[in-house]
Amino acid sequence: MVQNQAKYEKVINYIKENILKGDWPIGSKIPSQRKLAELFGVNRSTIVTALEELKADGLLEGVMGKGTIVVNNTWTLLATSPPPDWNETASSNLTKATQLGSVEGSEEHQDHFIQLSKGELAQDIFPTDHMQQVMMRLAGSLEPFGYEEPKGFLPLREAISEYMNRQGTEVSPSSILIVSGALQGLQLISAGLLYRGSTILLEKPSYLYSLQVFQSAGMKLLGLPMDDQGMNAAAIKKHYENEQSILYTIPCFHNPTGILMTEERRRELLNVCEQLRLPIIEDDIYRELWIDGPPPPSLKSLDQHGHVLYLGSLSKTLSPGLRIGWIAGPEQVIDRLADIKRQTDYGSSSLSQRVAAEWISSGLYENHLSFVREQLEKRRTKAMQILDDYMKDLAEWNVPAGGFLIWLKLKVKIPYKELYSKAYQQGILLNPGSIYTEESVPAIRLSYGYASMEDFEKGIKQLREIILKNR
Amino acid sequence: MVQNQAKYEKVINYIKENILKGDWPIGSKIPSQRKLAELFGVNRSTIVTALEELKADGLLEGVMGKGTIVVNNTWTLLATSPPPDWNETASSNLTKATQLGSVEGSEEHQDHFIQLSKGELAQDIFPTDHMQQVMMRLAGSLEPFGYEEPKGFLPLREAISEYMNRQGTEVSPSSILIVSGALQGLQLISAGLLYRGSTILLEKPSYLYSLQVFQSAGMKLLGLPMDDQGMNAAAIKKHYENEQSILYTIPCFHNPTGILMTEERRRELLNVCEQLRLPIIEDDIYRELWIDGPPPPSLKSLDQHGHVLYLGSLSKTLSPGLRIGWIAGPEQVIDRLADIKRQTDYGSSSLSQRVAAEWISSGLYENHLSFVREQLEKRRTKAMQILDDYMKDLAEWNVPAGGFLIWLKLKVKIPYKELYSKAYQQGILLNPGSIYTEESVPAIRLSYGYASMEDFEKGIKQLREIILKNR
């Protein structure tokens, strides 16, 4: 099988190369299956499979009475080759995550699935009525809008500044850059401030492992252990490598473990980073989703010397569809990032920025957050009960103090790939723990924020059965 | 002066390096001005200037009774160093364009300037009433929105598909990717399909020279001559370098020259590119702004074999603030780009996508285009008259058949840097031709689309005086 696989790939590469070099121009007939089989010393079935793949890719086409001909030799050829300049980890992760359909924003036509892991609030938490109100109000006072200021719509930056100040993190509007979600924030930081070969220290597991943003730019992820207080700050010194390192952390309701970093740990972390001159990215997009009580102060608010770049977002609290997030940090840094942002997409949607500004400055956002917290508390209670009912003997988990993520650590040994594909066949979508590390880990990221609690129960019950059958 | 400049930079680098290495930690006092002056063998004034710059950058602070102390050593230090991994051309272009405030989306607080070059439609062409209507309608039927499908909101892709089909360019919804403007489209193509070291063949001058998108990814721009039919297609063969080349063109109302490529030239271009297997990016964002008559068929519509990736946008016709554009191309290519887009920002604003879909599918967009064309025709007539009045002896220009750009070639020799800075001092913003090439060229990109015609006349009149005084 391995040998067949290798031969099959040889055939594919041979054909692609001949097309690329122009030896087989568009419209030309490629050699017969018999000849190709002879050339490579393989069965005709191997050739047929290879040709089928190239046809599906849009490079070849079977034409009645003419045999197989070349139909494309430029963009499609580029698009079916490995991504240029990406390291292997990054492109294999991309494929992995895409195939599993398990990354935020990737679920096309998956309405019929039970989403046990989706990192988004349920549609019944979406504030349709108030969103309508905001849009009507905005329409009523609409003025022409064009390209925005490089840092984003000023009234939105002012609203965010006031909002963060009330939360105890003092940030001026000129120290804020509006971005199209926190992911874009990371992209901009990667493109504008970091070097290829930089090391990113981070929690292990971490959401960041599921992204290509740093890895595709040639950076190395170095995971540090966590306990129930958050990232192990003492471990940083041991792992710290060089002046080009930075640290990435999700201190509030960490993705994927749900852990809330304690105030003591935050101070310790900041202290260590200051000593090592290690810049920090604080991804704080879950902060507002507290259930048991407001989280400790942000790292940014404790930071006296501009060590922290802060990421905020409306995606997890209001709607990911707005694509509104922000970076707060030293003004010189924000200026640089604004420049890069302008060179990337000329700024975020004016409409989204106006809608977001209206939500925050009117106070509707804060009201909505109270509602979200109530909903999450109810859902958490129910989810814990369901897990107690069906998973006690099979897994361990944390009770998150906020957010909607549960890190379900399985106590039984089972073949994980089979687990996920069986679940998928039964209409259950799961994010395997391995997306969030570099290794295979016996864990699943669950979310009680998206599926209805009836679906959640149904899904967990089915999951139990799959585990029992396959262990 | 050159020597002083070099010494001054040495001082700055010396201080930055000491901060970076941690030899001078935060809160520490740096050596006295006298000591630094001795160390470098320079006047104290040179040291003072260097320290002032580092203070303005946020790295140092003067503290009463304590001297000058270090206040930041991480992000700010990164942000005040040259961008990592950018080649010099790219970063110097960035600075150049930013300083001149002459790139789309960079004009902050410039309401009091006369914008003679701005690449955007005037506010009085913005369809405020209809935009209100569309938003009201949308609000009335609003449903919860979250992350969109990877290729973008399906009704928008369907609307664009139908729209392009009516224009003669057949594209299915699954062959369309919604992006946040054509610039992001270029970013995605650069990140997902092209290799570092690729050569981009393009018109010279070209809008692309003013961007960092390809150059910062290590690609080389190779400008080809133009005539009044468009890019010189025959020159491609002479300049064609290797299999990793691609071609970028703006065939309709080219930016910055305004030239419309003829149908004959389009066919010739496509032919040459097919022979060389040279993939084409067709940037067609000005197509709808025709005045004298509809443009020839798009390259994409003439293309039988997937050689062309097509860029469309609503930025130049409806509003740049929507941040809605699209890429159309072979489905496999669009799939790849959609993957990259999702990894970049999880898709474009749901609100903007819904508003755009409503505009196009309701027919309001086509009505608006008629209005835009009428306005542009009036503005063009007036602009030509103003140029005839004030520039006949000083410059040459084309009469654009559409769009809003004029490439004003000066016939007199004058120091261009002075020209632009004098104009700036008098409240006139100009895009110098040098932004659009790698050389200094005696040309200015004018736009009759943005400024009021009164301001346009005032600006051109002043420009005449500045030229006369400085030649």
Side-chain angles (χ1 to χ4, degrees), chain A residues 231-249:
Chain A
M231 175 190 271
N232 182 339
I236 295 174
K237 282 194 184 171
K238 219 171 63 193
H239 287 90
Y240 174 76
E241 283 190 338
N242 61 51
E243 285 153 7
Q244 286 184 11
S245 304
I246 66 151
L247 185 131
Y248 170 87
T249 180

Side-chain angles (χ1 to χ4, degrees), chain A residues 9-224:
Chain A
E9 271 167 20
K10 260 191 192 163
V11 177
I12 294 218
N13 290 338
Y14 171 79
I15 295 175
K16 280 192 177 179
E17 218 160 275
N18 276 297
I19 299 176
L20 177 68
K21 286 189 185 151
D23 294 343
W24 297 358
I26 282 179
S28 69
K29 199 181 143 183
I30 71 163
S32 69
Q33 294 177 5
R34 191 181 48 77
K35 274 195 188 152
L36 287 170
E38 266 173 29
L39 184 63
F40 286 93
V42 294
N43 292 334
R44 266 180 70 172
S45 65
T46 305
I47 302 294
V48 169
T49 319
L51 296 185
E52 282 312 312
E53 179 169 326
L54 292 166
K55 283 177 192 170
D57 278 350
L59 289 170
L60 301 179
E61 209 174 271
V63 175
M64 271 299 211
K66 277 189 76 177
T68 303
I69 63 162
V70 177
V71 288
N72 186 296
N73 60 16
T74 52
W75 289 115
T76 302
L77 199 61
L78 284 174
T80 56
S81 310
D85 305 317
W86 290 27
N87 69 37
E88 246 174 76
T89 324
S91 53
S92 77
N93 271 357
L94 179 63
T95 315
K96 192 170 70 177
T98 306
Q99 282 169 352
L100 284 162
S102 56
V103 175
E104 268 76 25
S106 70
E107 298 90 353
E108 193 163 11
H109 310 305
Q110 290 178 348
D111 292 346
H112 53 293
F113 278 87
I114 295 182
Q115 304 269 9
L116 283 189
S117 294
K118 195 162 178 165
E120 188 180 337
L121 290 180
Q123 299 212 341
D124 60 15
I125 306 181
F126 184 90
T128 310
D129 290 354
H130 284 146
M131 187 61 87
Q132 286 178 330
Q133 261 182 43
V134 166
M135 287 177 64
M136 296 281 191
R137 218 180 287 170
L138 193 61
S141 62
L142 194 70
E143 290 182 11
F145 50 78
Y147 292 107
E148 297 294 336
E149 293 174 23
K151 290 183 189 173
F153 186 51
L154 183 59
L156 174 57
R157 287 186 282 129
E158 286 169 346
I160 290 171
S161 163
E162 272 176 39
Y163 185 78
M164 286 184 70
N165 291 354
R166 280 202 300 279
Q167 281 187 333
T169 306
E170 297 221 351
V171 175
S172 70
S174 59
S175 301
I176 292 172
L177 171 67
I178 305 301
V179 292
S180 303
L183 173 61
Q184 188 184 50
L186 292 174
Q187 286 282 1
L188 297 172
I189 294 168
S190 164
L193 297 171
L194 306 183
Y195 288 83
R196 284 184 96 81
S198 297
T199 299
I200 319 289
L201 286 83
L202 74 174
E203 285 109 358
K204 181 166 152 183
S206 173
Y207 162 70
L208 207 60
Y209 280 103
S210 73
L211 300 180
Q212 274 49 65
V213 51
F214 292 127
Q215 293 175 77
S216 64
M219 296 165 202
K220 185 178 144 193
L221 301 189
L222 202 157
L224 300 172

Side-chain angles (χ1 to χ4, degrees), chain A residues 72 81 149 305 336 349 352, chain B residues 72 81 108 305 336 349 352:
Chain A
N72 186 296
S81 310
E149 293 174 23
H305 305 296
R336 159 76 68 97
S349 158
S352 284
Chain B
N72 187 296
S81 309
E108 194 163 12
H305 306 296
R336 160 76 67 96
S349 159
S352 284

Side-chain angles (χ1 to χ4, degrees), chain A residues 340-373:
Chain A
I340 313 282
K341 163 85 173 156
R342 208 196 61 227
Q343 292 284 334
T344 303
D345 63 7
Y346 288 136
S348 297
S349 158
S350 296
L351 272 184
S352 284
Q353 292 195 67
R354 279 163 175 75
V355 165
E358 181 64 28
W359 267 98
I360 300 176
S361 61
S362 66
L364 276 174
Y365 182 57
E366 264 168 295
N367 291 345
H368 173 62
L369 286 173
S370 306
F371 171 72
V372 171
R373 285 180 201 123

